[in-house]
Every structure is written in C-alpha cells, then in structure tokens.
Amino acid sequence: MTKKGWKKVGFYCLLGIVLVYVLFPFFWMVINSIKDHKDIMNIERILFFKPTLKNYLGAFKNYDMVVPIKNSLIIGFISTGLSLALGLPCAYAIARYKMDKLSAAILFVRVIPAITFLIPWFIVVSKLGITDTFFVVSLSHMILSLPFTVWIMTPFFESIPIELEEAAMIDGCAPFGRFFKVSLPITRSGIITVTIMSFIYSWNNFMYAMVLSGKNTKTVPIAIFNFVGYSFVDWGAMMAAAVAITSPILILSLLTQKYIIKGLTSGAVKG
Amino acid sequence: MITYLKEKNTKFYFSLPTILFLFIMVIFPILFTLYSSVTNSTLSAASGFVGFSNYRQLFQEARFWDSMGNTIYFTITASIFETFLGLLFAILLNRAFRGKTLVKTMFLLPFAATPVAIAMTWQLIYDPNMGIVNAFIALFGMEPKLWLASTETALNCLIFIEIWQGTAIVALIISAGLSLVPDSLYEAAGIDGASSWKCFFHITLPSINNTVFMAFILRFIEVIKAFDIIYATTKGGPMHASETLNIYGYLKAFQYFQFGSASALITMFTIVVTIIGTILLKIKKLTTEG
C-alpha cells in the first residue's frame, strides 16, 4: 500500500475509536434495554443473549412513564414559550438600545450556580402552597432558557442593518410592527436554535424538578431516578425507560443538528 | 419628539418583562440566600439571626474543605482533559471525508441526552458485579474493582463520565473555529513547502487558540457546577468521597434541611464560581485584545 493509503487507514481507525468512545454509553443503554433481567445480572451473557422487548412493556406498565412524559412536554412547552415571549423582545432591546448593564446581568445569571436560587424558591413556593404546579416548575426552568435565549439572540438582532428598520419606520411602521414584521423574520434561524435548546434544557432538568415538582408534575428525569428507590432495581425496565425518554430528544437534535451546533458554538467562536 | 418618546417606550416595554423576571427569580433569591446564611433557619424552626456563625462552623468542618478539594480537583482535571481531547477530536474532524456531517451529528448526542438517563447507564457500566468494565479488565487478568462504590475510585470514575460528555461539546466548538481558518493561509504555506506538522503549529493552532481557550472557560464554568450525574450515581458518596460543593450544598438544604448553613455554603460556592468565572473572562479579554 502507498503511504497515502496507510494514512487513510490510520485516519479511519482513529475515527472509529473516537466514535466508539462517543457512542458506547448509548449502545450500552439500548443493549441492556432488550436484555432479560437474568441476562443483565449474568456477566457471561454480557454480549450474547436473547433479545426481548418485555422491558419496554414493563417500563410503561409497572412504572408509569406516560404521565412523566406528558408532564415534561407541558413544562417544556410552557418554559420555552415564555422564554421566547420574554427573551426575544429583551434581546432586541439590548441590541438596539445598547443596554449593556442588562446584558451583563444576563451573562451573570448564566455563570452563577443554579442552586443559589433554589432555597428561596422552595421556601416561598411552599409558603404560597404552589409547589408541584406546572407554572412553578416551568418558571424555574426559565432560569436557564431565558438568559440563554437573550444571550444567543442579541448578536442576531445586532447584525440586522439599521437601514432596514429605518426604511420600515419611514413607511410608517411602529416599533412593535418593526419588531414583528422586520426583525423577527430575519432572525428565524436563531429563534429555531433557542427554541430547540430551551426545550432540551427543560426536558433534561433534574435539580429543580427534584425540589419543586411532586406527584402531579413529576418529570422524566425524576421518573428514571425513582427506579433506584425500589429495593429491587429493575435495570432492564430502567434502561428501556432511559431509551424511551432520551430518544425523542436525540431524534430532535439529529434532525436539527445544524441549529444546535450553532447554539453551542456561537459566542465561543469569534467572541 | 413623538418618535423619540415612542422609542423610549419600546426599550422599556421590550425589556421590562425580563427585568421583572430577573428581580423576582434572581435578585430576590440571591438577597434571600445571603440573608438566610446569617440565620439558623431550618424547615420547621423560625429563623433567628446568628451572625456569621454559619460561616465559622462551615470553615471548621472537614467535610466542607473535602468537598471544596473535590470540586477543585474534579473541575480542573475534567475541563483540561475535555479541552485537550476535544482539540484532538476537532483536528481529526477537520479533514474532508465521507459521512463527516453524520459524525459531527453523533457528537451532539452526549450533550443532548438526558443526564439522569446517561448516569444510570454509566452506573450499569461501572457495576462491580455485572458491569462491563470489570468484565473487560478481567480479560487482561486484572482484579475486579468497586469503581463508583469505592472511596478511592468514585471521584475519578465521575470525572471520566464528565470528560466523556464534555469532550464532544468542546470538539464541536473547536471544529467550528477551525472551519473559519481561511484556506488561503494553508495554500500559501503549501507553496512554501511547509510540512503538515509545521502548518499545524504555525497556522492552525495560532488561529484557533482563542476558541480553544473560550471552550475551556465555558467548560470550566459548566463543570464546576456539575450536579446531575454525580447526584444520580453516587449522591456524593461513598463516605463523601465524590462530594462536590454543589452536591454538599444540595444535601445540606434538601436532605438535612439546614437552610441557614446551606445558604452559607451556597453563598461561598457562588462567590468562588463568580470570581473564577470573572477572572477567566478577564484573561480572555486581555489576551484577545493584546
């Protein structure tokens, strides 16, 4: 083989190692979700076993995963929707009127630990008797998604040429009209990015849900975590549940990967 | 004049909801936490002012300093490895090959996957009796270990999970930085007959070092606040061996319900994170401008 050929082989070997490293836990999750409990416990059958789907039936029958999925969807939609409703105009104002102090405050919220807010929230919400409500849990998830929305969207609005708005102004378009008709459509790709990522943040949130949600608003991470609470840990059903709650979010990110990569990398690159 | 007034109003109306949110959900809680850190508030008892005794007690606690040490070790080790491995992965991804987009998409999965679900999978991987790690090392005649269940290895096992998750994110960030390096630079070097190693050290690395540093900062600020995977697997155990400040603060507050003492710890933690975050961002600013 030529030197170039060897280089190619070396490259694909390295790439293979990297992919195994990145994907192994997902492979393992799926493999164990289709293993019988006896096979999971038996180290001899770690890779050779008879696949079964009964864990999936079990996860939904014995451990009720439907309600948490529904709850997570509701909370995800409310917190994402509110973050957009509040964050988009705010990002626009920061970009147009150079509100640097507000922008710094937003960055600060992204830096400080999430737990800082939790004790006061818990005390106040308990006093008001509104723990375990969709509104409170959604509001808590916004502590991540709202600053994120403002932070990602500000540069998008900054990049809109002011002439475009001036033209609209001359045509008699009021500020609100300019925002909705001129600015928002241009920043569509940014809006898609923050929408998807806000939803992912909410879907995955664990700490806030643990403290603020309860019987009625139990979200999917809590449902998974509760498997450990039983004296007998049904690993097969747990892995099936894990697959069931991660796959929607993984499929969503595969379909919208362009936007998520943008969300993850903007700010780091250039800035 | 009328338009001017209108513009003022826009600024006000557009930012007011978010500012209100920040007051209710951020500023008020921060002040409340500060206040409650100088009281002996618990779940049941009404709070009384105790001055700085919560802080004094905290500083005398070995467990507090252990969790501080764990946090520092966890954060520095994980974020350095993530940045280094992420850089290597990004360089590997930088050449053209078939299925490149697909591979990049795969790199998103560790970021997007629900941390609790991932934590449970790793618990199964590390399990002393039925986990694949022990099965794997047995092939080389090594003794099985307790991994997450041992005070000696728990923290490092968690660091490994954290690195696994963060590396992919860093790789994507650096990869985006690499794609911005203009091809003309390489073409010029190619004409001059520079080797690929030379190209790497003289063109690639200098063009992306800002991005690499920014990726490191972002990861550092994220990792120091790590919670989900640690709590879902070890809860800081065994014997507090993998307890970070974040975990200890959570346990103090919502397991022991010592709100006063927990607030003192969380205040310290927030100060540490804010100072380090500010310093890192300042360094970044200086190096970029200089």
Side-chain angles (χ1 to χ4, degrees):
Chain A
M1 224 193 292
T2 59
K3 198 179 161 204
K4 215 173 171 189
W6 280 114
K7 255 191 168 167
K8 214 167 181 180
V9 171
F11 168 75
Y12 280 107
C13 282
L14 277 177
L15 194 66
I17 294 170
V18 167
L19 277 180
V20 168
Y21 171 81
V22 171
L23 297 179
F24 182 76
F26 297 103
F27 168 74
W28 207 239
M29 195 193 272
V30 174
I31 282 287
N32 281 289
S33 75
I34 52 170
K35 261 189 204 176
D36 188 76
H37 189 71
K38 279 204 290 294
D39 290 339
I40 295 179
M41 303 302 277
N42 188 351
I43 205 151
E44 312 262 289
R45 302 228 179 138
I46 204 153
L47 281 170
F48 308 99
F49 59 91
K50 228 175 91 205
T52 165
L53 282 178
K54 75 174 197 206
N55 288 328
Y56 285 87
L57 294 174
F60 281 89
K61 237 169 66 194
N62 308 336
Y63 299 95
D64 185 30
M65 292 299 296
V66 180
V67 175
I69 289 176
K70 196 192 79 199
N71 291 345
S72 278
L73 281 173
I74 295 174
I75 293 165
F77 283 131
I78 298 178
S79 66
T80 306
L82 284 177
S83 292
L84 291 175
L86 270 63
L88 291 177
C90 178
Y92 176 84
I94 289 176
R96 270 289 165 263
Y97 307 105
K98 306 270 170 291
M99 303 168 78
D100 290 341
K101 277 199 198 104
L102 184 56
S103 171
I106 297 280
L107 182 66
F108 177 67
V109 180
R110 276 178 61 77
V111 171
I112 54 177
I115 197 172
T116 314
F117 317 111
L118 201 49
I119 294 175
W121 287 355
F122 175 74
I123 292 175
V124 170
V125 162
S126 311
K127 283 251 159 73
L128 295 174
I130 50 171
T131 40
D132 196 14
T133 55
F134 285 110
F135 179 69
V136 165
V137 181
S138 308
L139 211 59
S140 76
H141 288 189
M142 284 173 68
I143 201 80
L144 267 161
S145 51
L146 177 60
F148 178 78
T149 302
V150 176
W151 195 60
I152 293 289
M153 289 310 292
T154 306
F156 273 94
F157 287 118
E158 274 168 351
S159 69
I160 300 175
I162 190 89
E163 292 78 13
L164 217 60
E165 291 208 8
E166 278 168 357
M169 201 156 94
I170 293 165
D171 290 345
C173 201
F176 282 89
R178 293 208 302 274
F179 173 68
F180 283 109
K181 286 187 197 134
V182 181
S183 304
L184 278 190
I186 299 178
T187 55
R188 201 180 51 220
S189 78
I191 296 174
I192 297 174
T193 302
V194 293
T195 308
I196 297 162
M197 289 187 68
S198 298
F199 188 81
I200 293 178
Y201 285 140
S202 168
W203 183 271
N204 290 345
N205 187 295
F206 181 45
M207 189 204 274
Y208 291 162
M210 224 170 9
V211 174
L212 298 172
S213 78
K215 265 215 294 288
N216 303 319
T217 54
K218 190 166 82 177
T219 58
V220 281
I222 308 293
I224 297 281
F225 187 60
N226 282 348
F227 273 89
V228 195
Y230 300 94
S231 54
F232 156 79
V233 179
D234 189 347
W235 285 100
M238 187 208 269
M239 287 299 113
V243 172
I245 70 144
T246 17
S247 40
I249 215 85
L250 292 188
I251 292 168
L252 176 73
S253 32
L254 295 185
L255 293 177
T256 56
Q257 50 102 2
K258 194 178 80 185
Y259 297 102
I260 302 183
I261 291 180
K262 209 188 256 164
L264 277 177
T265 56
S266 70
V269 183
K270 259 182 78 191
Chain B
M1 189 60 199
I2 290 167
T3 16
Y4 172 74
L5 269 179
K6 260 189 176 167
E7 292 287 306
K8 265 249 143 127
N9 285 344
T10 329
K11 179 179 166 179
F12 178 73
Y13 289 130
F14 275 29
S15 55
L16 185 68
T18 300
I19 293 173
L20 274 180
F21 179 89
L22 292 180
F23 265 102
I24 297 168
M25 299 293 285
V26 176
I27 296 172
F28 162 73
I30 289 177
L31 296 177
F32 194 120
T33 302
L34 279 175
Y35 163 74
S36 118
S37 75
V38 291
T39 67
N40 55 7
S41 143
T42 58
L43 189 61
S44 48
S47 53
F49 181 75
V50 292
F52 286 100
S53 78
N54 283 330
Y55 289 92
R56 246 195 323 272
Q57 262 165 29
L58 203 60
F59 294 147
Q60 282 162 2
E61 246 182 59
R63 191 172 164 187
F64 169 72
W65 293 111
D66 287 346
S67 65
M68 176 80 88
N70 286 342
T71 308
I72 295 169
Y73 174 69
F74 182 88
T75 311
I76 293 180
T77 319
S79 47
I80 286 178
F81 270 98
E82 283 170 15
T83 312
F84 185 69
L85 278 177
L87 176 64
L88 291 184
F89 286 12
I91 292 165
L92 197 69
L93 286 183
N94 194 36
R95 57 151 78 201
F97 59 90
R98 277 176 75 179
K100 183 171 167 170
T101 320
L102 187 68
V103 171
K104 271 197 176 174
T105 309
M106 297 298 162
F107 273 58
L108 271 183
L109 300 184
F111 156 77
T114 309
V116 177
I118 291 296
M120 293 310 169
T121 312
W122 279 97
Q123 203 158 33
L124 198 54
I125 292 173
Y126 278 131
D127 192 280
N129 300 315
M130 53 196 185
I132 192 168
V133 180
N134 274 345
F136 183 73
I137 64 169
L139 294 178
F140 303 96
M142 282 156 82
E143 291 290 305
K145 287 191 169 164
L146 288 173
W147 304 116
L148 287 170
S150 150
T151 50
E152 277 165 41
T153 45
L155 191 59
N156 284 327
C157 288
L158 288 170
I159 289 177
F160 189 86
I161 306 177
E162 175 55 52
I163 294 172
W164 169 79
Q165 202 179 25
T167 302
I169 299 169
V170 173
L172 287 175
I173 294 175
I174 298 179
S175 176
L178 277 172
S179 64
L180 294 178
V181 181
D183 286 337
S184 57
L185 280 179
Y186 292 107
E187 279 156 21
I191 293 165
D192 293 344
S195 69
S196 47
W197 279 111
K198 260 199 170 142
C199 278
F200 176 71
F201 280 107
H202 293 284
I203 300 173
T204 314
L205 217 47
S207 337
I208 55 163
N209 58 15
N210 271 329
T211 309
V212 175
F213 190 49
M214 195 61 201
F216 171 77
I217 294 174
L218 288 177
R219 284 317 298 164
F220 193 99
I221 293 172
E222 239 8 81
V223 176
I224 200 170
K225 298 184 288 191
F227 179 84
D228 295 8
I229 285 175
I230 305 179
Y231 192 83
T233 51
T234 67
K235 280 195 182 177
M239 305 283 290
H240 319 312
S242 62
E243 192 169 79
T244 58
L245 285 172
N246 210 8
I247 299 287
Y248 189 27
Y250 182 87
L251 292 176
K252 240 187 200 313
F254 298 104
Q255 197 117 345
Y256 316 141
F257 292 105
Q258 303 167 342
F259 289 140
S261 169
S263 295
L265 190 153
I266 291 167
T267 304
M268 291 307 302
F269 179 45
T270 307
I271 291 173
V272 169
V273 173
T274 312
I275 290 177
I276 295 178
T278 315
I279 292 175
L280 285 174
L281 289 170
K282 273 267 150 62
I283 297 175
K284 171 75 182 29
K285 219 172 177 182
L286 285 177
T287 50
T288 331
E289 279 163 6

